[in-house]
Amino acid sequence: MSWDETQCNRIKWNETGWKTRNKLSRAGWDGNVWHGQPTLTFPALTLTVFPRVLLRTLRHPIFLLVVLSQVCMSSMVAGMATFLPKFLERQFSITASYANLLIGCLTIPLAIVGIVVGGILVKRLRLGPMHCGSLCLLGALCCLILSTPLFFMGCSSHQIAGISHQPGTQPGLELFPGCMESCSCPSDDFNPVCDSSTRVEYITPCHAGCTSRVVQEVTDKSQVFYTNCSCVAGGGPVPAGSCDSACSHLVLPFMILISLGAALASVTHTPSFMLILRGVKKEDKTLAVGIQFMLMRVLAWMPSPVIHGSAIDTTCVYWAQSCGRRAVCRYYDHDLLRNRFIGLQFFFKIGALACFALILAILRQQDKEEKTKATIPNPGLQQQLLASEAKKEPEESRV
């Protein structure tokens, strides 16, 4: 058996700069027995070609728009995962455990279902790039529509004695009722009580002018009441704790809309990923996926919680002080909090929708160009046909 020397040492370079070297050491054939062990050199990426590949990937319009849409979606998810429990606590006067229970039982399972449904649709319907873009656009549009009613599902902040509903202003002693001036209440204490008859909340029992405290045992738990309150009609009693929200019954409809929107947004996960895999060149797919996840973490998961936190802080109307510094927010303007939190979510959804719309427009333009090229005859092919016909004519004349 002969050995082809060209198969022993072969070096190939492709356009991405990957260098593949397959070299087999040949000791010779002894009859039908091969002596010697093959050796394989692993691929190595040259540093001089890597920047060119990276630049080519980032300049790909479909890849760049898909990544931007996923950045918008991830920013929305990061902000919601970080601050949605706090938003529910403040807006609907529910406990932290109940808020997290609602998120864990509704939002997360429906988001998982949305990802699975998106994958099933892509596989069963064998969706191409055009249909994947349409599915992403439809999912983002439905998610945006479901977010619109959230702006109106809430209620305004109840009245708090001594605190004006203007973010950034701190209450002074002159703003509190004159009935508590003789109490010399400390300004840094926080132990709210609620006058349920007028729905007025006081920062501490001292600010309500209360002088007595009564503890009642009710169904295995104790309830604290304050009496002899000079600022409360009839002198009390007033229970300890903040006043309940007047729209607590809206928490379930609110969470259902949030969860359905999350499910529809999750439907776009698999088709958008397929747009990347089918849009870039085969040799660039691995690098494209790596760049995608890097940009998502740098542009979405890192800055989004900071942006949401800063927006929420601007809605605070009363900051607690610690050592002369601003510590924690005690009261928010509920209307402003809802509009800015939901508004940020709405902004990122609009960004994702715009990216998917541009992707679909580019895909349609590319499809039209391909159809136009298919209908226009190739000049080189026409010349070959004319030459072949010209050769046939002399032969027929000879016959």
Side-chain angles (χ1 to χ4, degrees):
M1 179 181 293
S2 62
W3 180 265
D4 190 357
E5 293 292 337
T6 61
Q7 299 297 326
C8 294
N9 192 352
R10 183 171 67 253
I11 301 177
K12 292 183 178 180
W13 291 85
N14 58 21
E15 58 182 353
T16 62
W18 284 96
K19 178 182 179 183
T20 305
R21 179 181 179 90
N22 299 325
K23 185 174 183 180
L24 298 176
S25 59
R26 179 165 67 94
W29 288 91
D30 184 5
N32 293 327
V33 180
W34 168 256
H35 297 281
Q37 298 294 331
T39 59
L40 179 65
T41 304
F42 292 98
L45 183 64
T46 57
L47 296 178
T48 57
V49 181
F50 178 79
R52 185 167 67 248
V53 180
L54 180 63
L55 182 61
R56 182 173 67 243
T57 305
L58 292 177
R59 292 176 62 185
H60 196 287
I62 300 297
F63 171 80
L64 190 59
L65 287 173
V66 171
V67 170
L68 289 177
S69 66
Q70 291 181 344
V71 165
C72 291
M73 288 291 186
S74 298
S75 299
M76 177 189 66
V77 174
M80 186 179 298
T82 307
F83 293 103
L84 183 59
K86 180 178 181 179
F87 175 82
L88 295 176
E89 292 177 49
R90 298 290 183 173
Q91 192 71 37
F92 302 106
S93 298
I94 62 176
T95 61
S97 58
Y98 185 54
N100 286 282
L101 179 65
L102 290 175
I103 296 172
C105 293
L106 291 176
T107 308
I108 295 178
L110 285 179
I112 296 173
V113 170
I115 295 176
V116 175
V117 169
I120 292 174
L121 291 176
V122 172
K123 180 176 178 59
R124 294 295 183 184
L125 302 180
R126 297 180 180 179
L127 300 181
M130 181 76 69
H131 293 93
C132 284
S134 301
L135 180 60
C136 292
L137 182 64
L138 181 62
L141 179 60
C142 294
C143 179
L144 188 66
I145 293 174
L146 286 177
S147 300
T148 305
L150 299 179
F151 286 101
F152 311 100
M153 299 180 68
C155 51
S156 302
S157 303
H158 53 269
Q159 184 179 355
I160 305 168
I163 298 178
S164 60
H165 293 282
Q166 295 180 0
T169 60
Q170 288 296 111
L173 292 176
E174 66 277 0
L175 296 177
F176 290 98
C179 53
M180 48 74 61
E181 290 181 355
S182 60
C183 299
S184 300
C185 301
S187 59
D188 55 349
D189 284 354
F190 183 74
N191 182 23
V193 295
C194 177
D195 183 6
S196 56
S197 60
T198 59
R199 291 191 57 80
V200 177
E201 184 170 330
Y202 300 88
I203 297 177
T204 64
C206 180
H207 289 86
C210 302
T211 58
S212 301
R213 179 175 179 268
V214 178
V215 179
Q216 294 182 357
E217 297 292 338
V218 181
T219 61
D220 298 334
K221 65 178 181 179
S222 59
Q223 178 67 44
V224 179
F225 292 90
Y226 294 91
T227 59
N228 298 326
C229 303
S230 58
C231 297
V232 178
V238 292
S242 298
C243 296
D244 294 332
S245 174
C247 52
S248 299
H249 60 283
L250 295 177
V251 63
L252 283 179
F254 184 90
M255 285 304 301
I256 290 174
L257 288 179
I258 284 283
S259 302
L260 290 177
L264 291 172
S266 299
V267 170
T268 66
H269 184 271
T270 302
S272 62
F273 193 74
M274 295 304 298
L275 285 174
I276 292 179
L277 295 180
R278 295 178 182 179
V280 299
K281 295 181 179 180
K282 182 178 180 180
E283 57 272 11
D284 294 345
K285 289 182 179 180
T286 304
L287 183 62
V289 173
I291 296 174
Q292 170 200 2
F293 285 103
M294 180 195 70
L295 292 178
M296 285 173 57
R297 280 153 179 78
V298 172
L299 300 179
W301 291 97
M302 291 176 61
S304 179
V306 178
I307 295 173
H308 281 78
S310 300
I312 290 174
D313 285 346
T314 59
T315 66
C316 183
V317 295
Y318 176 63
W319 288 94
Q321 301 293 322
S322 177
C323 300
R325 295 183 179 180
R326 197 171 66 177
V328 63
C329 182
R330 298 298 188 187
Y331 295 106
Y332 292 92
D333 185 339
H334 289 179
D335 290 333
L336 199 58
L337 173 64
R338 183 176 63 257
N339 291 333
R340 292 190 178 178
F341 181 75
I342 303 299
L344 270 177
Q345 300 284 308
F346 202 80
F347 170 77
F348 288 124
K349 291 174 184 178
I350 289 178
L353 181 66
C355 291
F356 287 134
L358 291 175
I359 290 171
L360 192 60
I362 293 175
L363 290 175
R364 286 182 177 178
Q365 184 64 28
Q366 292 178 352
D367 187 59
K368 289 182 181 179
E369 292 177 357
E370 291 178 358
K371 290 181 180 179
T372 304
K373 290 181 181 179
T375 55
I376 297 177
N378 190 352
L381 182 60
Q382 286 184 345
Q383 292 178 0
Q384 292 179 0
L385 292 175
L386 292 174
S388 61
E389 291 178 357
K391 291 181 181 180
K392 289 181 180 179
E393 289 179 356
E395 291 178 358
E396 292 177 355
S397 61
R398 290 176 185 177
V399 174

